[in-house]
Amino acid sequence: MKVRDSGMPGKDMWENFFNPDEVLITLGLNSKINNAAEFGCGYGTFTIPAAKIIKGEIFALDIEPDMIEITQKRAKKQELNNVKTILRDFVTDGSGLKDENVDFVMLFNILHADNPDKLLREAYRILKLNGTLGIIHWNYDPKTPRGPAMEIRPKPEQCIEWAEDTGFYNPKKYNVGPYHYGIVLIKGRGEL
Ligand SMILES: C[S@@+](CC[C@H](N)C(=O)[O-])C[C@H]1O[C@@H](n2cnc3c(N)ncnc32)[C@H](O)[C@@H]1O
């Protein structure tokens, strides 16, 4: 099931809203990170720069064949062999990735889903102990040029509460660009 309000404007417009390298560095992505995953990679706006930073592979999941194709083509053009695109509905079918397999999960512009807890639990499952969850989302501000309807747009405090309920801890919040907030949390030892 496609996440509500998760359609994308044109690529050029979308990519004007962020400075992806700055966002990723602010959230702590660095060359010590081995594997990563992005739930809903879209145009690869963040997947592609992340692939250039990390040591290992990045699993880029999306339900839309077009988005997967664009991300794949961008990776190929830039000779990035560590981008593993996966056409998949992660809401209905999960990510299909192994338990405790990645060091960093990116939930970017996706937590306005009907069931954010499901995505957070899946992120928790595939993350290694002490792995990092990175969230970004549109500011809770009706003046942002895009973003999900205010009725379903989560506030940062809400994302933190959901993530802590899932077993993540040590939340840190950042402003990432003019329209977005970022949050980083760590996977703790809690049992789901
Ligand atoms: C708002 S876009 C964000 C893209 C990217 N994370 C970014 O911030 O640039 C959300 C993406 O999630 C994908 N998506 C929505 N529901 C999905 C689902 N159930 N399974 C996999 N991908 C999904 C959409 O196709 C879209 O590409």
Side-chain angles (χ1 to χ4, degrees):
M1 183 184 63
K2 187 164 177 176
V3 169
R4 56 190 179 175
D5 263 16
S6 70
M8 298 279 268
K11 175 166 154 296
D12 290 348
M13 178 192 263
W14 182 254
E15 298 200 337
N16 257 325
F17 297 138
F18 320 92
N19 180 330
D21 283 314
E22 260 179 41
V23 172
L24 293 169
I25 287 163
T26 303
L27 298 190
L29 199 83
N30 62 51
S31 59
K32 293 193 190 124
I33 304 280
N34 196 22
N35 293 338
E38 182 171 17
F39 286 20
C41 63
Y43 297 115
T45 307
F46 295 94
T47 293
I48 297 294
K52 294 181 193 163
I53 296 173
I54 62 173
K55 251 195 317 220
E57 299 181 323
I58 180 158
F59 302 100
L61 294 92
D62 209 286
I63 197 171
E64 292 289 350
D66 288 1
M67 296 295 161
I68 290 295
E69 198 187 326
I70 291 168
T71 302
Q72 247 167 11
K73 279 194 178 147
R74 288 178 101 170
K76 193 165 176 215
K77 195 164 171 202
Q78 300 188 45
E79 298 180 1
L80 294 169
N81 298 321
N82 59 342
V83 177
K84 306 294 165 195
T85 52
I86 304 171
L87 178 63
R88 191 170 175 104
D89 176 349
F90 52 67
V91 172
T92 307
D93 302 325
S95 67
L97 299 173
K98 290 189 212 131
D99 289 356
E100 308 207 338
N101 187 33
V102 302
D103 306 279
F104 200 105
V105 172
M106 294 148 64
L107 293 180
F108 286 9
N109 299 303
I110 199 76
L111 274 187
H112 55 285
D114 276 304
N115 32 20
D117 55 312
K118 206 168 175 184
L119 305 191
L120 287 160
R121 287 157 73 95
E122 183 63 358
Y124 191 93
R125 184 186 68 75
I126 66 170
L127 270 169
K128 294 180 193 162
L129 185 65
N130 299 321
T132 303
L133 171 67
I135 295 170
I136 72 165
H137 218 312
W138 290 94
N139 290 340
Y140 193 77
D141 173 358
K143 293 190 296 299
T144 57
R146 288 281 303 193
M150 293 308 291
E151 303 78 62
I152 62 167
R153 201 183 290 202
K155 295 179 181 162
E157 303 75 42
Q158 180 67 77
C159 294
I160 291 172
E161 192 182 321
W162 288 330
E164 287 182 332
D165 286 349
T166 310
F168 292 98
Y169 73 103
N170 200 25
K172 298 218 163 64
K173 180 176 170 282
Y174 305 93
N175 290 322
V176 291
Y179 308 121
H180 287 76
Y181 60 85
I183 303 168
V184 171
L185 298 106
I186 304 300
K187 172 171 169 170
R189 207 176 273 287
E191 289 294 315
L192 288 183

